[in-house]
Amino acid sequence: MPQRNHLQKAASGLIVLLASGYLLHIAASFFIDLATSFLLALLLNPLVGWLQKKTRMPAMLAIFLALLLVGGILLSLLFVIALQLKDFSTNWQEVSARFTSWIAHLRDYIEARWGIGQAEQERYLQVLVNNPEKNLSILNRLASSGGQFFGGLLASLSLIPIYTFFMLYYKERLRRFLFTVTAPAFRGNLKRVLRKLQHVIFRYILGMLLVFLVVAALDTGVLLAFSMENALLLGVLAGLLNFIPYIGTALGGLIPMIIALITKDSLWYPLGIGLCFWGVQLLENNVITPLVVGDQVSLNAFTIILVLVIGGMLWGAAGMVLAIPYAAIVKCILEEIPSGRPVALLIGDEPLSAFDK
């Protein structure tokens, strides 16, 4: 009988997990906005509290000013990116012509090296074009998820500030609700979780924003040193992609390497850019991030890869960006639940001696 009860509980838990995943997927746009707003509220909460304490202004005005500050920063960044995109569009004809020339040289090399004639290459290209779902499924998926992310971001610019405003305005009501529904024996754990979440997530998000600025500046400097057009745009793009561990950092370096391969006359340009970007990444992983972010989000590499895959499956590119901070939130909660501590240690990056404590 006890074994049967355990199986029923496991089956019920699996059903709830699958149903939750399905709901998160079909209502992705709503939950992405809500999840982003929650993180933004955690980031702005100390600023709102400081404004209220120092100036004694009403909560509504303090929240509005905090959101106005974030909006101004984002609009400034978008303005810079838009200017760079305008410059990039004016250079597109030259890039396109160089790309056509590069493809022609590549086809001549393939014919000379492997004896595959131009007509046979045309047939291979025709097969590739006629079977995009089979041959370009990964690229299509990445482009689709990226388009959905940025399209959804623009569509949500009106909703995210509203959600964030009310989360900050009603934060005390939410806190009291959580303490009311929590058993008295666990209210101390809840208090520690809330305090830790505020500290950990605030430090992580602010730290990652600083890392973005440093990495974008370093990458832009590298591209300027190699006389690359639109260096600022490509450097900022590399910094933004750095928010997605492993995959984003690789794409951030690959894009300027491909552009250098097309637009420059020597292979030393893409090789040099790739080597310098690799050096920036080593510096970021071993010096910048530990110094700025610290060990606030101590998740091991396997856990990070898993949550990135799950986040991508549920919400595309947006899910990959949001996956790490929410995995850190789950870990913080598990650490305060006696039965959840082994799981927190399993997904964490603490030394093995932590299991013996």
Side-chain angles (χ1 to χ4, degrees), residues 121-244:
Q121 290 181 43
E122 284 289 343
R123 285 200 300 272
Y124 288 142
L125 287 172
Q126 195 65 34
V127 170
L128 190 66
V129 171
N130 290 335
N131 295 277
E133 288 144 8
K134 179 180 177 182
N135 297 288
L136 301 175
S137 60
I138 296 175
L139 290 175
N140 287 339
R141 237 177 271 164
L142 283 172
S144 174
S145 63
Q148 287 173 5
F149 172 59
F150 289 109
L153 182 63
L154 292 174
S156 301
L157 283 178
S158 59
L159 286 174
I160 290 175
I162 294 172
Y163 292 157
T164 306
F165 179 89
F166 285 111
M167 284 179 183
L168 288 167
Y169 190 70
Y170 291 119
K171 64 182 178 183
E172 185 59 29
R173 186 178 294 269
L174 176 61
R175 192 184 73 85
R176 294 202 176 194
F177 165 76
L178 291 174
F179 276 97
T180 302
V181 298
T182 302
F186 295 102
R187 286 177 185 170
N189 299 69
L190 177 61
K191 189 175 181 180
R192 285 194 297 273
V193 166
L194 294 177
R195 188 167 57 244
K196 186 188 264 187
L197 281 183
Q198 177 63 69
H199 176 72
V200 169
I201 299 304
F202 174 77
R203 284 284 306 274
Y204 172 74
I205 297 174
L206 186 62
M208 287 305 297
L209 289 174
L210 291 173
V211 169
F212 154 69
L213 292 174
V214 173
V215 170
L218 290 173
D219 287 343
T220 301
V222 167
L223 295 171
L224 286 172
F226 282 92
S227 304
M228 288 288 293
E229 297 285 343
N230 307 109
L232 181 59
L233 174 65
L234 296 173
V236 169
L237 179 62
L240 288 172
L241 287 170
N242 196 57
F243 281 102
I244 304 175

Side-chain angles (χ1 to χ4, degrees), residues 14 32 45 58 97 104 107 128 162 175 216 279 290 321 327:
L14 183 60
I32 288 171
N45 186 47
R107 292 179 66 176
L128 190 66
I162 294 172
R175 192 184 73 85
V321 173

Side-chain angles (χ1 to χ4, degrees), residues 246-262:
Y246 307 127
I247 301 169
T249 51
L251 282 175
L254 189 62
I255 292 170
M257 285 179 67
I258 292 173
I259 293 175
L261 186 64
I262 295 169

Side-chain angles (χ1 to χ4, degrees), residues 102-116:
W102 185 79
I103 289 293
H105 282 96
L106 178 64
R107 292 179 66 176
D108 290 340
Y109 174 78
I110 291 172
E111 183 175 10
R113 179 70 177 80
W114 288 290
I116 302 175

Side-chain angles (χ1 to χ4, degrees), residues 310-357:
I310 294 170
M313 289 171 63
L314 288 175
W315 294 345
M320 297 177 77
V321 173
L322 295 169
I324 306 301
Y326 275 95
I329 289 173
V330 171
K331 183 173 181 287
C332 287
I333 295 171
L334 290 172
E335 285 174 344
E336 294 299 329
I337 302 172
S339 59
R341 283 172 193 160
V343 180
L345 291 171
L346 177 66
I347 66 176
D349 201 27
E350 295 83 2
L352 291 176
S353 58
F355 282 93
D356 303 324
K357 294 180 181 179

